[in-house]
Amino acid sequence: MLGALAASADCADAYDRSGCYSGSAVDDDGVLTLNYTGNVKFDDGGRTAWQCLAQQNSAGGFDKLGPVIALPEGYTGYVRDPKVWRQGNHWYMVLGAQDRQLQGKVLLRAENLQQWQLLGEIACSGLNGLGPAVYMWECPDMFTFGDSTYLICCPQGVAREEKRFLNSHPSAWLSGTLDYQTPAYHHGPLHQLDAGFEFYAPQTTLTADGRRQLVGWVGTPDGEEMAQPTVAHHWIHQMTCLRELSSRDNKLCQQPIAELQALREAGQVYQGCADDAPSIEAQWLELLLESQGGIELNFADTLMVTGEWHYRYWTGAASRLQILCDHSSVEIFINHGEGVMSSRYFPTQPALLTLRGRAELQAHYWSLRRCMVE
């Protein structure tokens, strides 16, 4: 939706002349209203940021209403990505931020869409057991399942571990309770949101029937995206499939939305030893795979699960996989969404998926028809 906005680069004092950065959209008494960050970069290398509004007009475009929040005292120009929601009679907003000590913060603001006040920091470096290394929090999003309030975010500067947070910048989630009055967010440890090579900047929305859906970017800032072969064709990156979120055993789970099943063509079934399974065309593929033993999945000798080369890890017993393959991407959902791994890959087409191992497995798979937006 924010692609409808362009920077006002022709005006020297414009509040978004260096870019309309991401935000969120809300229904304000029947008017589609965008909350976004106006970014301004100065010639001396400094920068500032404004949180801005735009409203849809009768022609279907958007009219910019200008800034509603200036850069708060004590913070650098890295304050951005407003996520707005309504709770009771008030609007609330979470903002990613960095303070003057170069520590990452998540700020909470509340009032109405035109007048805001800073209530405080609800998640930050050194708070509730979080380490001090995080220097910026990007793309925060907050929502509740039952008694648990989840914060998803992109904390930059998280220390790499042996098997976690291995990307240049990760995406993560926290679970806890939010006290709107204090305000305070009492939460547990930081968890990876996606354990694959490429996933960033996820955002959620609530559907009319009450489902919380997420979409993310299959890419990573400061990663290897400029080495992708699509650069030669003047385009780069893609988005994930839409995912439905749920909370299970105090874990945030993700699964492909049920509507994607409409893309399935005639299904096929295999049951038996992995070594005897047929090769599967993986150009447009959905695969449901269950096994209690060790098996290896080889995606066209380009991407492997339990294979060689660079590694990413999801730790735990994986008994069920749901895999979505496109021309150049793979999304692997583990144990009904308990874990996810997303990645770009660029095999020679047509790509074949082969299975290896002596374990018994059950596989149900479908070729997927092209998805046309009408």
Side-chain angles (χ1 to χ4, degrees), residues 167-169 197-200 217-238 344 346:
N167 291 344
S168 56
H169 299 298
F197 284 95
E198 290 165 302
F199 182 85
Y200 200 72
W217 167 36
V218 191
T220 305
D222 304 322
E224 300 176 349
E225 63 267 24
M226 296 311 297
Q228 294 181 2
T230 59
V231 172
H233 301 279
H234 309 292
W235 66 274
I236 194 170
H237 302 140
Q238 68 178 67
R344 301 296 305 275
F346 300 92

Coordinates of all heavy atoms in Angstrom, one line a residue, residues 167-169 197-200 217-238 344 346:
N167 N 22.1 -14.5 10.0 CA 22.0 -13.6 8.9 C 22.6 -12.2 9.3 O 22.8 -11.9 10.5 CB 20.5 -13.4 8.5 CG 19.9 -14.6 7.8 OD1 20.7 -15.5 7.4 ND2 18.6 -14.7 7.7
S168 N 22.8 -11.4 8.3 CA 23.4 -10.1 8.6 C 22.5 -9.3 9.5 O 23.0 -8.6 10.4 CB 23.7 -9.3 7.3 OG 22.5 -9.2 6.5
H169 N 21.2 -9.4 9.3 CA 20.2 -8.8 10.2 C 19.0 -9.8 10.4 O 18.5 -10.2 9.4 CB 19.7 -7.5 9.7 CG 20.8 -6.4 9.5 ND1 21.5 -5.9 10.5 CD2 21.2 -5.8 8.4 CE1 22.4 -5.1 10.1 NE2 22.2 -5.0 8.8
F197 N 17.8 -18.4 5.1 CA 18.9 -17.5 4.7 C 18.3 -16.1 4.5 O 19.1 -15.1 4.7 CB 19.5 -18.0 3.4 CG 20.4 -19.2 3.5 CD1 20.0 -20.5 3.3 CD2 21.7 -19.0 3.9 CE1 20.8 -21.5 3.5 CE2 22.6 -20.0 4.0 CZ 22.1 -21.3 3.8
E198 N 17.1 -16.0 4.1 CA 16.6 -14.7 3.7 C 15.2 -14.4 4.1 O 14.2 -15.0 3.6 CB 16.7 -14.5 2.1 CG 18.1 -14.5 1.6 CD 18.2 -14.7 0.2 OE1 17.8 -15.8 -0.3 OE2 18.7 -13.8 -0.5
F199 N 15.1 -13.5 5.1 CA 13.7 -13.1 5.6 C 13.9 -11.9 6.4 O 14.8 -11.8 7.3 CB 13.2 -14.3 6.5 CG 11.8 -13.9 7.0 CD1 10.6 -14.2 6.3 CD2 11.6 -13.4 8.3 CE1 9.4 -13.9 6.8 CE2 10.4 -13.1 8.8 CZ 9.3 -13.3 8.0
Y200 N 13.1 -10.9 6.2 CA 13.2 -9.6 6.9 C 12.0 -8.8 6.8 O 11.1 -9.0 5.9 CB 14.4 -8.8 6.3 CG 15.0 -7.7 7.2 CD1 15.7 -8.1 8.4 CD2 14.7 -6.4 7.0 CE1 16.2 -7.1 9.2 CE2 15.2 -5.4 7.9 CZ 16.0 -5.8 9.0 OH 16.4 -4.9 9.8
W217 N 9.7 -10.1 3.7 CA 10.5 -9.9 2.5 C 11.5 -11.0 2.5 O 12.2 -11.3 3.4 CB 11.2 -8.5 2.7 CG 12.4 -8.2 1.8 CD1 12.5 -8.6 0.5 CD2 13.6 -7.5 2.1 NE1 13.7 -8.1 0.0 CE2 14.4 -7.5 1.0 CE3 14.0 -6.9 3.3 CZ2 15.6 -6.9 0.9 CZ3 15.3 -6.3 3.3 CH2 16.0 -6.3 2.1
V218 N 11.6 -11.7 1.3 CA 12.6 -12.8 1.1 C 13.9 -12.1 0.7 O 14.3 -12.1 -0.4 CB 12.1 -13.9 0.1 CG1 13.1 -15.1 0.2 CG2 10.7 -14.3 0.4
G219 N 14.6 -11.5 1.7 CA 15.8 -10.8 1.5 C 16.4 -10.4 2.8 O 15.7 -10.6 3.9
T220 N 17.6 -10.0 2.8 CA 18.2 -9.5 4.1 C 19.1 -8.3 3.8 O 19.9 -8.3 2.9 CB 19.1 -10.6 4.7 OG1 18.3 -11.8 4.9 CG2 19.7 -10.2 6.0
P221 N 18.9 -7.2 4.5 CA 19.8 -6.0 4.3 C 21.3 -6.4 4.5 O 21.6 -7.2 5.4 CB 19.3 -5.0 5.4 CG 18.0 -5.5 5.8 CD 18.0 -7.0 5.6
D222 N 22.1 -5.8 3.7 CA 23.6 -6.0 3.8 C 23.9 -7.4 3.6 O 25.0 -7.9 4.0 CB 24.1 -5.5 5.1 CG 23.7 -4.0 5.3 OD1 23.8 -3.3 4.4 OD2 23.5 -3.7 6.5
G223 N 23.1 -8.2 2.9 CA 23.4 -9.6 2.7 C 24.0 -9.8 1.3 O 24.7 -8.9 0.8
E224 N 23.7 -10.9 0.6 CA 24.3 -11.2 -0.7 C 23.3 -10.9 -1.8 O 23.4 -11.5 -2.9 CB 24.7 -12.6 -0.7 CG 25.8 -12.9 0.4 CD 26.2 -14.4 0.4 OE1 25.5 -15.2 -0.2 OE2 27.2 -14.7 1.1
E225 N 22.3 -10.1 -1.6 CA 21.2 -9.9 -2.6 C 21.8 -9.3 -3.9 O 21.2 -9.6 -5.0 CB 20.1 -9.0 -2.1 CG 20.5 -7.6 -1.7 CD 20.8 -7.4 -0.3 OE1 21.3 -8.4 0.3 OE2 20.7 -6.3 0.2
M226 N 22.8 -8.5 -3.9 CA 23.3 -7.9 -5.1 C 24.0 -9.0 -6.0 O 24.4 -8.7 -7.1 CB 24.2 -6.7 -4.8 CG 23.5 -5.6 -4.2 SD 22.0 -5.1 -5.0 CE 22.6 -4.5 -6.6
A227 N 24.3 -10.1 -5.5 CA 24.9 -11.2 -6.3 C 23.9 -12.1 -6.9 O 24.2 -13.0 -7.7 CB 25.8 -12.1 -5.4
Q228 N 22.6 -11.8 -6.7 CA 21.5 -12.6 -7.3 C 21.4 -12.4 -8.8 O 21.6 -11.2 -9.2 CB 20.2 -12.3 -6.6 CG 20.1 -12.8 -5.2 CD 18.8 -12.5 -4.5 OE1 17.9 -12.0 -5.1 NE2 18.7 -12.8 -3.2
P229 N 21.2 -13.4 -9.6 CA 21.2 -13.3 -11.0 C 20.1 -12.4 -11.6 O 20.1 -11.9 -12.7 CB 21.0 -14.7 -11.5 CG 20.5 -15.5 -10.4 CD 21.0 -14.8 -9.2
T230 N 19.0 -12.1 -10.8 CA 18.0 -11.2 -11.2 C 18.4 -9.8 -11.4 O 17.8 -9.0 -12.1 CB 16.8 -11.2 -10.3 OG1 17.2 -10.8 -9.0 CG2 16.2 -12.6 -10.1
V231 N 19.5 -9.4 -10.8 CA 20.0 -8.0 -10.9 C 20.3 -7.7 -12.4 O 20.1 -6.6 -12.8 CB 21.3 -7.9 -10.0 CG1 22.0 -6.5 -10.3 CG2 21.0 -8.0 -8.6
A232 N 20.8 -8.7 -13.1 CA 21.1 -8.4 -14.5 C 19.8 -8.1 -15.3 O 19.9 -7.6 -16.4 CB 21.8 -9.7 -15.1
H233 N 18.6 -8.5 -14.8 CA 17.3 -8.2 -15.4 C 16.6 -7.0 -14.8 O 15.4 -6.9 -15.0 CB 16.5 -9.5 -15.4 CG 17.1 -10.7 -16.0 ND1 17.1 -10.9 -17.4 CD2 17.8 -11.7 -15.5 CE1 17.8 -12.0 -17.7 NE2 18.2 -12.5 -16.5
H234 N 17.3 -6.3 -14.0 CA 16.8 -5.0 -13.4 C 15.7 -5.2 -12.4 O 14.8 -4.4 -12.3 CB 16.4 -4.1 -14.5 CG 17.5 -3.9 -15.5 ND1 18.6 -3.2 -15.3 CD2 17.5 -4.3 -16.8 CE1 19.4 -3.2 -16.4 NE2 18.7 -3.9 -17.4
W235 N 15.7 -6.3 -11.7 CA 14.8 -6.5 -10.5 C 15.4 -7.4 -9.5 O 16.4 -8.1 -9.8 CB 13.4 -7.0 -11.0 CG 13.5 -8.5 -11.5 CD1 13.7 -8.9 -12.8 CD2 13.2 -9.7 -10.7 NE1 13.6 -10.2 -12.8 CE2 13.3 -10.8 -11.6 CE3 12.9 -9.9 -9.4 CZ2 13.1 -12.1 -11.2 CZ3 12.7 -11.2 -9.0 CH2 12.8 -12.3 -9.9
I236 N 14.9 -7.3 -8.3 CA 15.5 -8.0 -7.2 C 14.4 -8.3 -6.1 O 13.5 -7.5 -5.9 CB 16.7 -7.3 -6.6 CG1 17.6 -8.1 -5.7 CG2 16.3 -6.0 -5.9 CD1 18.9 -7.5 -5.3
H237 N 14.6 -9.4 -5.4 CA 13.8 -9.7 -4.2 C 12.3 -10.1 -4.6 O 11.9 -10.0 -5.7 CB 13.7 -8.6 -3.2 CG 15.1 -8.1 -2.7 ND1 15.4 -6.8 -2.5 CD2 16.2 -8.9 -2.4 CE1 16.7 -6.7 -2.1 NE2 17.2 -8.0 -2.1
Q238 N 11.7 -10.6 -3.5 CA 10.3 -11.0 -3.6 C 9.7 -11.0 -2.2 O 10.4 -10.8 -1.2 CB 10.1 -12.3 -4.3 CG 10.6 -13.5 -3.5 CD 10.3 -14.8 -4.2 OE1 10.9 -15.1 -5.2 NE2 9.4 -15.6 -3.6
R344 N 15.9 -17.6 -1.0 CA 16.0 -17.6 -2.5 C 16.9 -18.7 -2.9 O 17.9 -19.0 -2.2 CB 16.5 -16.2 -3.0 CG 15.6 -15.0 -2.6 CD 14.2 -15.0 -3.2 NE 14.2 -15.2 -4.6 CZ 14.3 -14.2 -5.5 NH1 14.5 -13.0 -5.1 NH2 14.2 -14.4 -6.8
F346 N 18.5 -20.3 -7.0 CA 18.4 -20.1 -8.4 C 18.9 -21.4 -9.2 O 20.0 -21.4 -9.7 CB 19.2 -18.9 -8.8 CG 18.7 -17.6 -8.1 CD1 19.3 -17.2 -6.9 CD2 17.7 -16.9 -8.7 CE1 18.8 -16.1 -6.3 CE2 17.2 -15.8 -8.1 CZ 17.7 -15.4 -6.9

